[in-house]
Amino acid sequence: MEEIPVKVAVRIRPLLSKEILHNHQVCVRLISNTQQIIIGKDRVFTFDFVFGKHSTQDEVYTTCIKPLVASLIEGYNATVFAYGQTGSGKTYTIGGGHIASVAEEERGIIPRAIQEIFQIMSENHNTDFAVKVSYIEVYKEELRDLLELETSMKDLHIREDEKGNTGRNINFN
């Protein structure tokens, strides 16, 4: 059976304090011992990975990202795409909040991946590494490079060249 190169993970976050205060109800539930969730009363969806409200940052990293880091070291490209509405927990899962002030166990997948990649590089003195990173936000149908402060005034476009390599082109307005 051919392996599909795209995997989809869902992480269900717990209700926030303000949601509890406003008597909001949980609308997404896990089906135990499966990779399925129920939305509402009866809409069932299946994913490659499902993480419940008590899942840890380490669990998400180890299951979903650590295999990608291993592939990176072998020379393959990897992309992590966090999708969800505002307030759904993307920033927490990706970064863990403000990186400098976050507890070790709360660190998200970016700081964990960076630490692991550079640890592997430091242990492999006989190997040359070239690291290229993009950190792009799509918000209201606009792209913003989060690693380059000046892109708020630029028009970003993601393109693929004839060799299948992806990159960004910047057009100044």
Side-chain angles (χ1 to χ4, degrees):
M1 184 175 197
E2 184 179 339
E3 184 176 341
I4 299 172
V6 175
K7 304 279 187 205
V8 179
V10 171
R11 186 176 195 187
I12 302 167
R13 71 160 172 78
L15 291 176
L16 302 173
S17 303
K18 66 181 180 181
E19 293 168 335
I20 294 169
L21 285 173
H22 288 101
N23 228 9
H24 293 176
Q25 301 297 311
V26 175
C27 63
V28 180
R29 294 174 290 137
L30 288 173
I31 299 175
S32 296
N33 302 316
T34 71
Q35 299 303 327
Q36 296 181 316
I37 62 171
I38 299 175
I39 297 180
K41 294 181 183 185
D42 61 357
R43 297 189 65 193
V44 178
F45 297 90
T46 303
F47 298 94
D48 297 298
F49 309 102
V50 176
F51 299 95
K53 64 184 182 180
H54 298 296
S55 64
T56 64
Q57 296 284 59
D58 186 59
E59 183 182 355
V60 173
Y61 180 79
T62 300
T63 303
C64 296
I65 308 305
K66 196 169 184 67
L68 293 177
V69 171
S71 293
L72 282 172
I73 299 305
E74 293 175 13
Y76 293 97
N77 290 327
T79 299
V80 175
F81 186 83
Y83 177 82
Q85 70 186 59
T86 300
S88 62
K90 299 176 302 297
T91 300
Y92 175 76
T93 298
I94 293 289
H98 301 290
I99 304 301
S101 64
V102 75
E104 178 88 10
E105 66 275 2
E106 297 297 314
R107 288 181 309 132
I109 61 177
I110 290 175
R112 289 171 189 269
I114 290 169
Q115 181 180 12
E116 184 171 3
I117 289 166
F118 282 94
Q119 178 68 39
I120 291 168
M121 289 169 54
S122 71
E123 294 169 355
N124 290 279
H125 303 288
N126 298 328
T127 305
D128 290 329
F129 291 94
V131 178
K132 295 180 185 179
V133 176
S134 296
Y135 188 22
I136 297 172
E137 175 183 60
V138 180
Y139 185 70
K140 294 186 179 179
E141 299 184 23
E142 292 186 14
L143 295 173
R144 193 172 72 161
D145 184 337
L146 297 176
L147 297 177
E148 189 172 329
L149 297 176
E150 298 173 14
T151 59
S152 61
M153 298 175 287
K154 300 173 186 173
D155 188 18
L156 286 177
H157 299 282
I158 305 299
R159 300 281 188 250
E160 186 174 288
D161 66 17
E162 64 279 352
K163 296 178 184 174
N165 298 314
T166 56
R168 62 179 174 85
N169 296 327
I170 301 176
N171 296 326
F172 293 92
N173 291 331

